Amino acid sequence: MQQSSRTSRSRRSVLTGLGALAAAGTLGTASSGCAAPSAAGADRTRLRFWHLFGGGDGVNMQTMLDAYRAEHPHIGLEAATLQWGAPYYTKLGMAGAGGRAPEVAALHLTRLPGFAPGRLLDPFDLGLLAEHGVRPQDFPEDIWRRGSVDGEQYAVPLDTHPLVLFYNLEICKKTGLLGDDGKLRPISGAREFTEALRAVKKTTGRPALAMETMGADTVGPWRLFAAFYSQTGGTVLDDTGTRITIDDAKALRVLEWMRSLVDEGLAIHRVDYQGGVGAFNTQRTAFLINGEWEVSTFLTTKIPFSMTRIPDLFGRASTFADCHTFVLPHQAGRGGASNEAAHAFVAWLLKHTVEWAKGGHVPAYLPTLEKPEYLELTPQSEYRSVLDDVALDPPAWFAGSASSMQIELGAVFSGVLTGSRSPQGGLAEAKRRLRKLLDTPNPFGGAA
Amino acid sequence: MTTTSAVPPAAPAAEARAGTTGPVRSVRHQWTEHGLLFTAPFLLVYALFLVWPLLYGVKMSLGDDNIAGTESEFIGLDNYAEALTDPNVWSSLWNTLWFTALSTVPLVVLGLVLALLAHELRVVQWLWRLSWFAPFLLPSGVVCLLWLWMIYPSDFGLADLLLGAAGLDPDIGWLSDTRYAMLSIVLTTVWWTVGFNFLLYLAGLQSIPQHLYEAAEIDGAGPWHRLWHITLPSLRRTTFVVLVLQLLASLKIFDQVYIMTGGGPDESTRPILQYVYQAGFTGYRIGYASAVSYVFFALIVVVSLVQLRLSRRASEENDR
């Protein structure tokens, strides 16, 4: 196919002058992404991979892809890094709708219900995966199960990326929060955590905690709420994603406590994502609550820090998380060598997730967690137990990473944290917006 | 804008037509054919990229279209009914109008004042012109990031430094406090775009015949009299052009908000265009997003008609 289009182009360019110039212009741009495979000949299998990994993740993914390329010279891998968030999912959805999607793509597990498995996504061939050494029992059961719809596996998990607690070793030591082993002494209960923050404030004279309270399209406040609220045992929606199940008392307890931190000046009042990372990175705060993926930032700047699971503040030690997964976007004629290459590629990446774990993520492929190279990664392996205690967004089409729900509720809870809404008012508004989302028909025509 | 300038030339043209007959008409006819030939490429592009999408948008707004390409159904005016009862539509529409109100007045007045200054100040005139117009040459992304990173940050921003130097409390959440966020965006916008209005006013000032001033001076009119009775009335048409263009530009606010606050804090700066974007590309509901844009379109048409009405009346008064 590729070969024939190239010959026809060159023939045309000999025959006609101006017309060929235009044709070469369009074909040139169309084939510029696959310069490598066409140069090496048509016997290479084309494998396109779309992902949204930027920053430190992007660097690690690139390392993995380079290694893959070196080992598989017969595969023409074309990886495209697209912008994280809503733009990525818009593009992926439209590509699947047109049936001209890439062979493999990354997807947040929580976005699966909205992505209309069966129409926008094709299922994995588990036999093919097993041939390449990847079986369902190699993954945490819950996470694997969430990747399946109607008995078909649509998402193969790559990692879990939870919200964690970063802490500055020097400030915590000065405040006396470290144990003999040099690690943060266990904290349990919201009151104890507040006390620790007060102690730090006394030492440094500054807010002790940075957490994302505002920003453009901010989802941070939702993540924080979701983490602490999950600790109370409360849920936002029922298992079918069709009914609001928020427990007002529990939700208010969490919101009021979060608000009290900014009111008392224990947490930075108004700070966006970058600002929070910056404050911790310049050692102005002792704590940062953020995704583990920021570990690359602090390892690069070599500040004295470590990280741990978010302590149990409201009854159990769960935290907000999501999972990156691999999916097969819908192609009109999926199959053949490129489809097999896609399965083999996914299996290969999963077996090399030690590299991926350097970016902070907890690999979902369980054999990786036992590898010595992984256990040697500190502080990354310190919180691997969190895999069993994560709260993912409820299974609804409007939920998940960078979804309508995260952005809408992020804005409401941002208002609670920055002071433009009361905890009660914020909760009422959050429920009103959830109801509106529930009343809106799923535009993708997916399951939930 | 077109009508204000079209009114005076129309009069002589009409006289010419009344005076002559036959041959002129055939020449005009020929011209039409040539004109069509020459404008065809433009008309094609215009039809393809403006008229067709406009009509297609109407079709989408009447269905439950989405960007996942599933079969959409015709649902009549349901989207419009939903848009009119959607509090997000009203709040973002209000934000857009509030921004327009806050930004238009200073942009027009300041544009005039700066033009007067540049016109009167004879020393290093090029410097004033350059420095007032220069920001307009920057892309919106550059302007927004400059202000985002240099002026507004709370720890080291220039804005807080200035306040601190003046002995005021510098802890203002320029972009993060619901009380100031919109004002901060207006401030940035004024700095960025006032140069364009300044330029229009400057051109207007330079086209006022000098002899009017000379005559007035002979009659003993002072500078204030001259400003009030010659300059400002002569600038009336320019003012209408500036006002129309400014209102339309302000209503289309999107970039600055998207980059600087993302519509926050707590959606207090989210304009209607951003809500359209969110409904369409985060919520995947293209049909609904189209309906919201047509609601907004209707508003712009109303504003334009009112403008047209006012400017026509004004130019009639002017001609009298």
Side-chain angles (χ1 to χ4, degrees), chain A residues 222 229 234-246 393-399 405 434-435 437-438:
Chain A
W222 157 255
Y229 180 61
T235 53
V236 175
L237 297 178
D238 67 349
D239 290 340
T240 59
T242 52
R243 203 166 50 85
I244 300 176
T245 53
I246 290 184
D393 266 11
W397 70 267
F398 50 76
M405 186 190 83
L434 269 175
R435 201 158 294 127
L437 286 169
L438 283 172

Side-chain angles (χ1 to χ4, degrees), chain A residues 83 86-87 89-90 93-94 96-98 111 115 119-120 206 214-217 270-271 284 397 402-404 407-408 411-412 414-416 418 420-421 429 432-433 436 440-441 443-445, chain B residues 64-70 82 86-88 154-155 171-179 257-267 270 274-275 277-278 280-285 288:
Chain A
Q83 197 195 339
Y89 285 114
T90 302
M94 291 174 90
R111 292 300 291 250
F115 250 77
R119 205 169 53 72
L120 290 182
R206 294 168 181 276
M214 47 158 278
D217 269 357
R270 290 184 293 254
V271 64
R284 279 176 291 160
W397 70 267
S403 61
S404 301
I407 290 172
E408 293 235 353
V412 174
S414 168
V416 174
T418 53
S420 64
R421 287 185 196 274
E429 177 65 13
R432 198 184 62 73
R433 292 185 180 208
K436 173 147 197 295
T440 308
F444 274 178
Chain B
D64 59 353
D65 288 51
N66 58 74
I67 51 172
T70 40
E82 186 185 339
D86 184 349
N88 285 329
S154 56
D155 272 354
D171 185 28
I172 285 185
W174 292 97
L175 292 168
S176 57
D177 192 319
T178 40
R179 285 170 297 176
V257 175
Y258 188 73
I259 298 173
M260 295 174 77
T261 65
D266 199 8
E267 290 159 9
R270 177 174 69 183
Q274 195 189 346
Y275 184 59
Y277 167 82
Q278 283 179 350
F281 291 106
T282 314
Y284 301 116
R285 303 177 66 210
Y288 182 60

